[in-house]
Every structure is written in C-alpha cells, then in structure tokens.
Amino acid sequence: MLKVRVRKNQGEFSIQAGFTIEDSGVTALFGYSGAGKTSIVNMVAGLSAPDSGVIEMNGRKLFDSEQGINLPPEQRRVGYVFQDARLFPHLTVKGNLIFGMKLAPKGSLYVDFDEVVDMLGIGPLLSRRPARLSGGEKQRVAIGRALLCSPSLLLMDEPLASLDENRKSEVLPFISRLSQGFSIPILYVSHMLSEIEKLADNLVLLENGGVAASGPFEALKSSRTLAEMRGGGESRGALHALNIKLAS
Ligand SMILES: Nc1ncnc2c1ncn2[C@@H]1O[C@H](COP(=O)(O)OP(=O)(O)OP(=O)(O)O)[C@@H](O)[C@H]1O
C-alpha cells in the first residue's frame, strides 16, 4: 500500500494532499490541467521533494520530513512511464528493456522478460531502434522498460497524451492487462474521463493541489454528476460539477 501525505509550495501554487492506494489495481489521479497531478507523482518518484510530509510504500519510508528520510529515485522501486516514451535512441528495443532490468536491485527481479514482451506484443520489435517505432510502439516499450525494473509501484503520467486516437486504442488494452497480469499497483495520471472509465479501480480527485474526493471508482461513478461527465473531454468543468455534487 502507498500512503502519501505531502505539502509543497511551488511558486504561487500550494499542494496539500493525502491519499492511499491499494496493493493492486489501477488508481487514477484525476484532475484538470494544473491541479497538481504531475507534481505529486514526481514527489512519489523522488524527482522532487515535498516541503513536509510522509510517503510510505508497503511500510517502507520513501520520504519523511521529520525523520530526514528522502530516498533517491533509484532506491524507491518505482517504475515511471512519462507522456513521451523517453527511450534511449542509441539502444535497440531489447537494449532499452534490459536497461530496465539492470535498475532492479540484485535478487529482487520478479518480472520475467519473455512475459513482458509477450504481454506488450513487442517481440517483433526487439532488434529495432526507437526511431523506427510508431508512437504507440514506443509507449509499449517504455511500459515494458518500467515493468522490468520489477517495481513495487508503477507511475504512469498521461502515457497516452502524445498519441492520436488510433494509437491510444492500441495501447490502452495493454495497460488494463498490466495490473492484473503482474500484480503491480498502478498510479495512473489523467485528465481524460474516457481513459479513467476504462482503467480505474480507484479514483483520487485532485483540485487546486488538494484531494477533493477519493475512493473506489464504482462508488464515485454512481454519482449522477460523474455519469454526466461521460463523453466529456477535458475534466475541468466536469470536475467542478462533480465536487458540487459530492459536497451536496
Ligand atoms: N517547478 C515548478 N515551480 C513552480 N511552479 C510549478 C512548478 N511545477 C509546476 N508548477 C505549477 O504547479 C501547478 C501544478 O502543476 P502540475 O504540472 O503538477 O499540474 P498537472 O495537474 O499535472 O497539470 P497537467 O495536466 O497540465 O500536466 C501549476 O500551476 C504549475 O504551473
């Protein structure tokens, strides 16, 4: 289980957020553009530090301001898939995947190379370099590389954002199979309700750097206002409406 309780001021923007995510399944971190989603994910990954708070994964402190704990990213056992694939251009697909495996501490590899390649359908791509891959293929390789570091948690920050609709529908089914297939909890950032509906078991609704609501997606989904959001694109207006509904 991941427990997050953080505060951070960045410029004029303040984050004060607390939530937990379960040992398995997909938890969507959902909110309009600028709500603080990436900032929070970066704190979990260790790419930036909260001003204060605690981040704990399976009882292991990744960050604790009072105890002076701030583990570097490579010690956190967290895989990160960004909006753009960020593959190493000079390495083949196989080289990129093996790089992920080398990041896992010795004796802690539990994700199998062939299983990942099969599940993501990237076997035919192994000898290619990233320049010869489509956007969707690159993202599948990036997911594979993140998985192969055998993480305790997979962070995905709008992994479909740079893809057109066809490529999105090519990658989405792979993501929904991941969490079950590898028993790795996923924290999935998006501002698109259409993606969240297909993927999320749990939801953390973020607004202005704070958590407006959180819980099982099914429970929040049954709210009339969330039903009205279906088919909507960008979440800002709809999220605002949902908060009114939750508060009433
Ligand atoms: N390093 C920084 N210094 C100052 N302000 C920052 C910094 N990083 C982000 N911000 C501000 O913090 C707020 C939250 O940004 P963040 O990127 O976390 O939002 P987001 O919900 O991920 O947005 P998006 O969906 O557009 O990616 C924004 O107002 C942004 O301008």
Side-chain angles (χ1 to χ4, degrees):
M1 180 185 279
L2 173 75
K3 293 184 188 172
V4 175
R5 183 170 52 78
V6 289
R7 281 172 181 256
K8 186 176 176 73
N9 288 323
Q10 42 189 33
E12 293 179 359
F13 189 77
S14 292
I15 292 169
Q16 184 175 347
F19 60 90
T20 60
I21 83 164
E22 299 303 326
D23 289 339
S24 63
V26 177
T27 300
L29 190 56
F30 180 58
Y32 61 77
S33 182
K37 305 181 296 295
T38 297
S39 304
I40 288 178
V41 165
N42 283 343
M43 287 187 244
V44 174
L47 300 179
S48 75
D51 295 336
S52 64
V54 176
I55 303 172
E56 191 180 304
M57 182 77 206
N58 299 334
R60 179 175 173 248
K61 295 264 174 73
L62 306 182
F63 179 88
D64 187 326
S65 51
E66 285 190 1
Q67 294 181 18
I69 297 170
N70 185 13
L71 296 186
E74 65 275 14
Q75 287 179 18
R76 293 197 177 202
R77 309 292 315 277
V78 167
Y80 201 155
V81 181
F82 300 88
Q83 290 185 9
D84 48 333
R86 302 192 192 185
L87 299 176
F88 299 113
H90 61 293
L91 296 179
T92 61
V93 166
K94 187 173 181 183
N96 271 279
L97 295 172
I98 288 173
F99 185 90
M101 295 175 83
K102 287 181 184 159
L103 294 177
K106 281 199 169 55
S108 65
L109 273 181
Y110 67 87
V111 176
D112 181 68
F113 183 89
D114 292 334
E115 207 180 330
V116 167
V117 168
D118 277 355
M119 177 172 278
L120 293 168
I122 50 181
L125 311 177
L126 287 176
S127 59
R128 288 202 215 160
R129 286 186 200 274
R132 292 185 49 227
L133 300 176
S134 74
E137 288 167 344
K138 281 183 194 159
Q139 266 323 49
R140 275 149 60 198
V141 175
I143 293 167
R145 184 177 61 181
L147 273 176
L148 281 164
C149 72
S150 293
S152 307
L153 171 73
L154 194 56
L155 302 174
M156 306 185 96
D157 189 355
E158 310 224 26
L160 307 180
S162 63
L163 306 180
D164 63 29
E165 287 309 315
N166 285 340
R167 298 296 180 197
K168 275 184 191 169
S169 52
E170 175 199 321
V171 178
L172 204 58
F174 290 103
I175 297 176
S176 63
R177 270 182 246 152
L178 281 182
S179 168
Q180 272 72 32
F182 292 99
S183 304
I184 297 172
I186 296 176
L187 185 57
Y188 187 95
V189 170
S190 181
H191 65 276
M192 298 296 293
L193 184 63
S194 52
E195 281 174 28
I196 299 298
E197 282 188 308
K198 293 189 182 104
L199 291 172
D201 302 300
N202 297 295
L203 195 62
V204 176
L205 289 173
L206 211 59
E207 190 171 49
N208 288 329
V211 175
S214 66
F217 182 64
E218 281 303 315
L220 294 175
K221 190 181 169 185
S222 65
S223 89
R224 183 172 55 82
T225 315
L226 190 53
E228 285 167 14
M229 291 168 71
R230 207 167 290 123
E234 218 272 348
S235 63
R236 182 172 194 137
L239 181 62
H240 178 66
L242 175 64
N243 288 335
I244 292 169
K245 172 70 182 171
L246 290 169
S248 63

